[in-house]
């Protein structure tokens, strides 16, 4: 689940007019949240418990309907089917003061278990045997069927998912090697390989867990498949852009590879139904006609446990951001961890200033705050955007609006929030 927030300035709606308006104290009931695609009930409950107004829909929405729907909400939560266009592109969102959060950890175990299950299923040709039985064919064979114990698993990308797979695979008696762009501490008896080619040459099974970056797109194509052992297996549960599918089809047909499992694809249907066909990608019928290939519809993270964990992880990040201005877990704004505000701090406000990152901004901000007691100030930048937080004490209510208005009219200002 990815949640993108367009949190309006607390209290005074958006304060768009030039006439000064008095800010009201922050009230969670002022926040309207729209959740799409049947976000897990745990996440919904967490947000409702904070007093937010939460509307949850079971489906995604077409773009026109979505644009109309979000006009009056401050937070939108989506899963994988909703495609937020340029209006909530990460860079575009940051440039407009919209924080975007995702859940990089909560689904790790679910994906790891899928990969381990597919490793065993490919080694035993379970997909083919199951399909044959569904067609009424009894085909009891042991040729080219293997135990995974004693085999070598190569993990490309040793992050949250890859490292969990490493632990599970060793418990099955597999030797584990991995390749990552950075040097990482090995878990158990696993070993880091110096290059991708070295890993491909040594592994019996290769599983991919890398992000979608220019350098990872098409990183496994004909040359890399040729490097692999004859009769090896390939699993991709990372990004559909990582594997050259026509090259994979050729490697399977030539029996260079003994099997493969794909959970992600370069283009994927926007909804459930009979859409995995030639209209989506020209090579789909070739892919569907192969033996010992497991094709799943991007379900690596689709478990009840993962969805509950995602709801808790992202819901908690939202609560911290809305209530405290904490950006921990944001993917497009600087990652700032702040102390929590408490109710026993009278005349204390937190100024949150999202601004364009150019020289002189801090000087102008501190000129505005100079007549007040600044207890703490933190500032960090990410690309062209910067995020500043200042805790100010001994501020009278009538002064809060003056601080807000003075910051809002600065040429560097993208969004100003005041929590009190």
């Amino acid at each position: 689940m990815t949640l993108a927030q367009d949190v309006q300035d607390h209290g005074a709606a958006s304060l768009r007019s030039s006439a000064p308006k008095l800010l009201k104290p922050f009230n969670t009931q002022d926040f309207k949240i729209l959740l799409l695609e049947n976000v897990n009930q745990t996440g919904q409950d967490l947000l409702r418990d904070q007093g937010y107004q939460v509307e949850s829909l079971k489906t995604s929405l077409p773009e026109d309907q979505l644009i109309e729907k979000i006009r009056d909400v401050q937070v939108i939560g989506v899963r994988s089917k909703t495609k937020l266009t340029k209006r909530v592109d990460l860079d575009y969102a940051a440039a407009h003061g919209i924080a975007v959060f995702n859940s990089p950890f909560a689904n790790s175990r679910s994906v790891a278990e899928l990969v381990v299950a597919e490793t065993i299923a490919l080694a035993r040709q379970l997909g083919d045997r199951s399909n044959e039985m569904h067609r009424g064919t009894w085909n009891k064979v042991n040729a080219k069927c293997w135990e995974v114990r004693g085999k070598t698993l190569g993990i490309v990308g040793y992050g949250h998912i890859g490292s969990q797979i490493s632990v599970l695979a060793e418990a099955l008696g597999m030797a584990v090697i991995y390749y990552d762009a950075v040097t990482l501490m090995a878990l158990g008896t696993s070993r880091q390989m110096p290059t991708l080619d070295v890993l491909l040459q040594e592994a019996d099974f290769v599983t991919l867990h890398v992000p979608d970056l220019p350098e990872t797109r098409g990183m496994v194509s004909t040359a890399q498949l040729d490097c692999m052992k004859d009769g090896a297996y390939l699993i991709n549960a990372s990004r559909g852009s990582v594997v050259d599918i026509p090259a994979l089809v050729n490697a399977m047909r030539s029996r260079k590879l003994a099997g493969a499992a794909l959970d992600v694809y370069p283009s994927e249907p926007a909804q459930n139904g009979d859409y995995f066909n030639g209209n989506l990608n020209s090579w789909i019928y070739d892919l569907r006609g192969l033996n010992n290939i497991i094709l799943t519809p991007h379900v690596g993270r689709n478990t009840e446990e993962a969805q509950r964990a995602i709801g808790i992880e992202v819901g908690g990040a939202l609560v911290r951001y809305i209530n405290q201005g904490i950006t921990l877990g944001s993917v497009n704004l600087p990652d700032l961890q702040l102390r929590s505000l408490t109710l026993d701090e009278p005349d204390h406000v937190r100024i949150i200033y999202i601004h364009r990152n150019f020289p002189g901004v801090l000087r102008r901000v501190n000129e505005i705050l100079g007549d007040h007691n600044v207890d703490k100030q933190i500032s960090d930048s990410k690309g062209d955007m910067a995020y500043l937080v200042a805790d100010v004490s001994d501020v009278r209510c009538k002064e809060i609006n003056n601080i807000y208005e003075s910051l809002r009219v600065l040429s560097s200002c993208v969004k100003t929030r005041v929590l009190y």
Side-chain angles (χ1 to χ4, degrees), residues 178-194:
Y178 64 93
Y179 169 73
D180 200 285
V182 298
T183 301
L184 296 170
M185 184 182 71
L187 299 180
T189 62
S190 62
R191 296 176 292 125
Q192 185 162 7
M193 298 290 101

Side-chain angles (χ1 to χ4, degrees), residues 3-223:
L3 289 161
Q5 294 192 68
D6 184 3
V7 182
Q8 294 176 337
D9 314 273
H10 287 309
S14 58
L15 294 178
R16 299 297 182 192
S17 69
S18 58
K21 299 180 181 179
L22 292 179
L23 289 168
K24 298 183 297 181
F26 169 56
N27 187 343
T28 57
Q29 293 180 353
D30 293 336
F31 275 85
K32 297 180 181 179
I33 299 178
L34 174 65
L35 303 177
L36 303 178
E37 302 178 57
N38 202 25
V39 169
N40 188 268
Q41 189 65 43
T42 304
Q44 296 182 39
D45 293 343
L46 189 153
L47 296 171
R48 288 194 176 98
D49 287 346
Q50 291 293 315
Y52 308 141
Q53 299 180 48
V54 179
E55 179 182 2
S56 179
L57 303 180
K58 292 185 177 181
T59 63
S60 59
L61 292 175
E63 184 179 39
D64 290 345
Q65 293 182 31
L66 178 60
I67 291 171
E68 186 64 32
K69 192 76 172 175
I70 64 176
R71 292 186 187 280
D72 296 323
V73 303
Q74 286 73 45
V75 180
I76 179 172
V78 304
R79 294 174 65 190
S80 59
K81 290 181 183 177
T82 300
K83 303 303 179 185
L84 297 175
T85 58
K86 182 178 179 180
R87 286 161 230 200
V88 198
D89 170 82
L90 291 184
D91 293 335
Y92 185 91
H96 289 73
I98 302 170
V100 179
F101 295 86
N102 70 1
S103 180
F105 314 121
N107 59 21
S108 301
R109 179 68 181 202
S110 294
V111 178
E113 288 190 4
L114 175 70
V115 169
V116 171
E118 288 178 334
T119 300
I120 296 173
L122 289 173
R124 298 291 297 274
Q125 301 179 21
L126 296 183
D128 288 356
R129 298 294 86 76
S130 177
N131 288 335
E132 290 162 356
M133 290 290 284
H134 278 281
R135 296 195 298 266
T137 301
W138 184 275
N139 186 20
K140 186 177 179 180
V141 298
N142 63 317
K144 304 297 182 181
C145 294
W146 316 97
E147 293 181 356
V148 298
R149 179 181 56 174
K151 306 302 187 297
T152 299
L153 174 65
I155 302 172
V156 181
Y158 203 65
H160 302 294
I161 297 172
S163 57
Q164 286 210 38
I165 294 171
S166 176
V167 173
L168 295 175
E170 281 202 10
L172 291 171
M174 301 186 78
V176 177
I177 57 177
Y178 64 93
Y179 169 73
D180 200 285
V182 298
T183 301
L184 296 170
M185 184 182 71
L187 299 180
T189 62
S190 62
R191 296 176 292 125
Q192 185 162 7
M193 298 290 101
T195 67
L196 175 61
D197 285 353
V198 171
L199 178 140
L200 296 175
Q201 292 164 11
E202 189 172 331
D204 299 301
F205 296 83
V206 175
T207 181
L208 307 173
H209 302 281
V210 296
D212 179 20
L213 300 171
E215 56 267 32
T216 64
R217 291 169 194 158
M219 71 180 297
V220 177
S221 189
T222 301

Side-chain angles (χ1 to χ4, degrees), residues 339-373:
R339 73 178 184 88
S340 296
L341 295 173
T342 62
L343 295 176
D344 58 355
E345 296 178 286
D347 301 328
H348 188 106
V349 300
R350 173 165 287 171
I351 310 294
I352 298 168
Y353 187 61
I354 306 174
H355 63 89
R356 298 175 187 88
N357 185 25
F358 53 74
V361 175
L362 292 182
R363 176 176 57 81
R364 297 294 307 276
V365 170
N366 287 325
E367 287 174 354
I368 294 170
L369 301 179
D371 293 332
H372 304 279
N373 184 34

